[in-house]
C-alpha cells in the first residue's frame, strides 16, 4: 500500500467521491434519455462514444504502451462490466429503482467481506459497523419511494451485485502495486462493452441515434465522456491506489449525490427520513474510511 493510500483522506478518496458524484448524475441523465429510444440502443451509443474518446486520449495525450496483461484484464473485466450493465438494465423492467438501489447497495458490505477473505486479513469490526450504518442510511434515503414485492428483477439485480463485488475485488487485487495504466485498462474495458452492446443492439442503436435531438446529444456526450470515460478511468486509478473495501464505501455515497442533484436540478423533494439517511451514509463513510486507513497503514 502506498503512502497516499494510507493517508487519512487521499487523492484516491477524492477521486472516488468525484466518480460517485458523476455516477449519481446518471440517474437523471438516463431517465431523460430513456424516454427517447431503447435502453440497449442508449447503452451502445454511450459506450461507443466513450470508447472513441478514450482511444483519442490514449493515442494523442497519454501514449502509454499497452501491455499484454492490460489487454487481457480489459477484455475480461469489460465483459463482466457488460454483463452487469445488461442485468441491471433488464431488472428495471420487473422491479423498482428502490429495490434495485438497495440490492446494489449491499456491495458496501460484500466487497470488504470478500476482500478480507481474499487477503486473509480481516478489517476491524468497527469498519463493518460503519458500513452497516451507511447501508441503513441508504435504506432510509431511498425507502421513501416504496418497495415492491420481490420478483425476477430483484434476482437479476442480486446477480449483478455479486458479479460487481468479484469484479471490484479482483481488479483491485490485480492492479495494486503494478505498473499497469488505468487509461489502457479502462480504454479496453469500455471498448469491449461498446462493441458487445453495439453487436447486440445494432438496429436499436441506429434507431435511438436517429431519434435524438440536440439536447439529447448534449446529454449523451455528458453521460459518455464524464460519467463513463472519465469516471471509469478515475475509478480504476483509485482502486489501484487504495483498497476495494475503501473504494466501495466511498462509491456508496452515489445515492447521496443522485438525491442532491434530483432535489437541486430535478425539483424533487426529500423528507426528514431521507435527510437522516444521507447524513448516516456520509457519517458511516467518513468513519469507515478512517478506520480502513489506520488498519492498512499498520
Amino acid at each position: 500500500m502506498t503512502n497516499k493510500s494510507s493517508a487519512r483522506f487521499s487523492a484516491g478518496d477524492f477521486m472516488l467521491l468525484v466518480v460517485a458524484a458523476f455516477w449519481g448524475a446518471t440517474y437523471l441523465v438516463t431517465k431523460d434519455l430513456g424516454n427517447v429510444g431503447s435502453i440497449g440502443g442508449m447503452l451502445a451509443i454511450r459506450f461507443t462514444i466513450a470508447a472513441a474518446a478514450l482511444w483519442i486520449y490514449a493515442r494523442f495525450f497519454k501514449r502509454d504502451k499497452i501491455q499484454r496483461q492490460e489487454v487481457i484484464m480489459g477484455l475480461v473485466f469489460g465483459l463482466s462490466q457488460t454483463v452487469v450493465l445488461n442485468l441491471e438494465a433488464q431488472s428495471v423492467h420487473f422491479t423498482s429503482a428502490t429495490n434495485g438501489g438497495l440490492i446494489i447497495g449491499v456491495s458496501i458490505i460484500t466487497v470488504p467481506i470478500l476482500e478480507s477473505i481474499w487477503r486473509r486479513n480481516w478489517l476491524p469490526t468497527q469498519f463493518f459497523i460503519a458500513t452497516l450504518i451507511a447501508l441503513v442510511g441508504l435504506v432510509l434515503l431511498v425507502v421513501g419511494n416504496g418497495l415492491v414485492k420481490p420478483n425476477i428483477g430483484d434476482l437479476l439485480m442480486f446477480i449483478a451485485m455479486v458479479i460487481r463485488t468479484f469484479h471490484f475485488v479482483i481488479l483491485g487485487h490485480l492492479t495494486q502495486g503494478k505498473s499497469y495504466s488505468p487509461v489502457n485498462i479502462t480504454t479496453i474495458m469500455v471498448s469491449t462493452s461498446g462493441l458487445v452492446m453495439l453487436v447486440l443492439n445494432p438496429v436499436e442503436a441506429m434507431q435511438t441515434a436517429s431519434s435524438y435531438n440536440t439536447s439529447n446529444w448534449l446529454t449523451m456526450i455528458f453521460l459518455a465522456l464524464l460519467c463513463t470515460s472519465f469516471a471509469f478511468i478515475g475509478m480504476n486509478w483509485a482502486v489501484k491506489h487504495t483498497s476495494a473495501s475503501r473504494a466501495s464505501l466511498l462509491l456508496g455515497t452515489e445515492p447521496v449525490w443522485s438525491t442532491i442533484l434530483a432535489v437541486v436540478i430535478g425539483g424533487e423533494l426529500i423528507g426528514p427520513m431521507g435527510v437522516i439517511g444521507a447524513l448516516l451514509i456520509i457519517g458511516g463513510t467518513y468513519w469507515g474510511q478512517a478506520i480502513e486507513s489506520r488498519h492498512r497503514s499498520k
Side-chain angles (χ1 to χ4, degrees):
M1 190 65 59
T2 64
N3 291 333
K4 283 188 177 182
S5 65
S6 64
R8 186 172 181 80
F9 191 83
S10 67
D13 295 333
F14 177 76
M15 177 59 73
L16 287 168
L17 289 178
V18 172
V19 170
F22 277 121
W23 282 355
T26 61
Y27 287 90
L28 279 177
V29 172
T30 54
K31 182 179 180 180
D32 180 42
L33 293 175
N35 295 324
V36 185
S38 70
I39 297 297
M42 179 189 69
L43 289 174
I45 296 170
R46 171 187 178 181
F47 281 93
T48 299
I49 294 175
L54 285 168
W55 279 110
I56 292 172
Y57 177 73
R59 174 65 180 83
F60 294 102
F61 297 96
K62 195 64 177 173
R63 297 183 179 180
D64 288 335
K65 183 179 179 181
I66 299 178
Q67 302 179 47
R68 179 173 176 272
Q69 292 88 343
E70 293 172 344
V71 174
I72 295 173
M73 284 191 290
L75 289 172
V76 172
F77 290 111
L79 288 173
S80 68
Q81 173 181 272
T82 305
V83 171
V84 170
L85 288 169
N86 278 277
L87 286 171
E88 291 176 353
Q90 291 299 319
S91 72
V92 300
H93 293 296
F94 304 99
T95 190
S96 68
T98 301
N99 282 34
L102 289 176
I103 294 170
I104 284 294
V106 174
S107 61
I108 294 176
I109 297 292
T110 58
V111 168
I113 290 176
L114 179 60
E115 185 176 40
S116 293
I117 294 173
W118 191 292
R119 291 175 179 270
R120 297 181 181 179
N121 180 17
W122 281 92
L123 286 159
T125 303
Q126 295 95 321
F127 179 86
F128 292 96
I129 295 175
T131 60
L132 282 174
I133 291 173
L135 189 58
V136 170
L138 174 64
V139 173
L140 293 178
L141 182 64
V142 303
V143 79
N145 295 325
L147 298 173
V148 301
K149 185 178 179 180
N151 53 45
I152 187 64
D154 297 311
L155 176 61
L156 294 175
M157 190 64 78
F158 178 78
I159 295 172
M161 183 274 293
V162 172
I163 296 174
R164 176 186 284 193
T165 296
F166 279 89
H167 175 113
F168 218 63
V169 173
I170 296 173
L171 180 62
H173 178 77
L174 292 178
T175 57
Q176 285 175 12
K178 304 295 194 304
S179 61
Y180 301 141
S181 165
V183 173
N184 289 345
I185 294 175
T186 304
T187 299
I188 298 170
M189 282 177 59
V190 173
S191 298
T192 301
S193 294
L195 181 61
V196 171
M197 295 303 299
L198 201 58
V199 170
L200 292 176
N201 308 280
V203 177
E204 291 183 7
M206 289 187 288
Q207 291 176 341
T208 300
S210 64
S211 63
Y212 281 174
N213 58 29
T214 302
S215 176
N216 296 142
W217 277 113
L218 290 175
T219 302
M220 173 55 76
I221 290 173
F222 171 78
L223 178 64
L225 299 187
L226 293 180
C227 301
T228 308
S229 298
F230 171 78
F232 275 106
I233 288 178
M235 183 198 73
N236 290 335
W237 176 83
V239 168
K240 179 181 176 181
H241 291 82
T242 186
S243 71
S245 299
R246 188 186 185 94
S248 70
L249 188 61
L250 290 165
L251 289 176
T253 61
E254 180 183 331
V256 176
W257 296 106
S258 65
T259 301
I260 292 173
L261 292 170
V263 171
V264 175
I265 300 176
E268 297 183 13
L269 299 177
I270 179 174
M273 185 178 293
V275 173
I276 294 173
L279 292 175
L280 286 176
I281 293 174
I282 294 170
T285 298
Y286 180 79
W287 185 32
Q289 64 87 23
I291 294 169
E292 196 274 348
S293 290
R294 290 194 295 270
H295 178 72
R296 297 301 180 198
S297 62
K298 291 179 181 180

